[in-house]
Amino acid sequence: MPLLAVGTIDGVVRVWEPRSGTCVSSLRGHTNEVTAAVAVSRCGGVIATGGQDRRLRLWDVASGRLLHLLERPWSSSIACVAFAPDGRTVAAGHDDATVRVWRVGDGTVLSELKGHVRSVLSASWGADSRRVVSAGVDGAVRVWEQLPTAGPTR
């Protein structure tokens, strides 16, 4: 069943089943707004959320349970998130002009991609799950090649 996840200014992420228009879950945990940084994995099993509270959260869709709270000592909010097509990594674009790539399975930071000079507003993955394209407020579009893999699937 395809799902739609929507962040809100109160920090709650609501998960909808689009065909019926039914809200199937409300994910609570963010302490500030989550208005743009929401992504559902291709398999539909995990939702990534980030926002003004500077934390990336990974949620199990079936249970609504928090899988990982990914936080580091940075001082910028998360503006966008995107899952790799293989579902094993997620990229988060930050207001500090950095794209961080995380392993979904254990929350390890695999890469910190620096090159933008202002906030990163959009990130998307190549079909091979080894390339990220990011766009920022600075007007630049960057292609990040040969990213480390998340390792074998379990």
Side-chain angles (χ1 to χ4, degrees):
M1 151 178 72
L3 296 173
L4 173 68
V6 180
T8 62
I9 60 170
D10 63 2
V12 177
V13 176
R14 291 183 176 78
V15 182
W16 299 85
E17 196 286 302
R19 288 191 180 143
S20 69
T22 304
C23 181
V24 296
S25 184
S26 292
L27 308 175
R28 298 177 190 281
H30 286 282
T31 58
N32 208 325
E33 68 183 69
V34 179
T35 55
V38 178
V40 179
S41 64
R42 184 175 282 185
C43 70
V46 180
I47 292 175
T49 62
Q52 296 295 318
D53 63 1
R54 304 176 185 146
R55 290 169 176 83
L56 179 67
R57 287 175 165 78
L58 299 177
W59 307 87
D60 176 73
V61 171
S63 67
R65 183 176 62 86
L66 182 65
L67 296 172
H68 296 291
L69 172 60
L70 310 176
E71 55 186 341
R72 301 273 270 191
W74 60 71
S75 61
S76 69
S77 60
I78 298 170
C80 62
V81 292
F83 279 99
D86 66 11
R88 296 184 304 179
T89 50
V90 63
H94 293 256
D95 284 341
D96 69 357
T98 303
V99 177
R100 291 180 177 88
V101 178
W102 304 81
R103 183 172 26 234
V104 171
D106 63 6
T108 300
V109 176
L110 299 174
S111 298
E112 291 197 11
L113 310 172
K114 298 179 185 232
H116 288 281
V117 295
R118 295 188 57 204
S119 299
V120 178
L121 296 180
S122 180
S124 184
W125 285 87
D128 63 359
S129 297
R130 293 190 44 95
R131 184 178 314 119
V132 172
V133 177
S134 61
V137 173
D138 56 8
V141 174
R142 303 223 178 262
V143 179
W144 308 94
E145 302 274 354
Q146 298 300 313
L147 296 175
T149 64
T153 56
R154 299 179 210 214

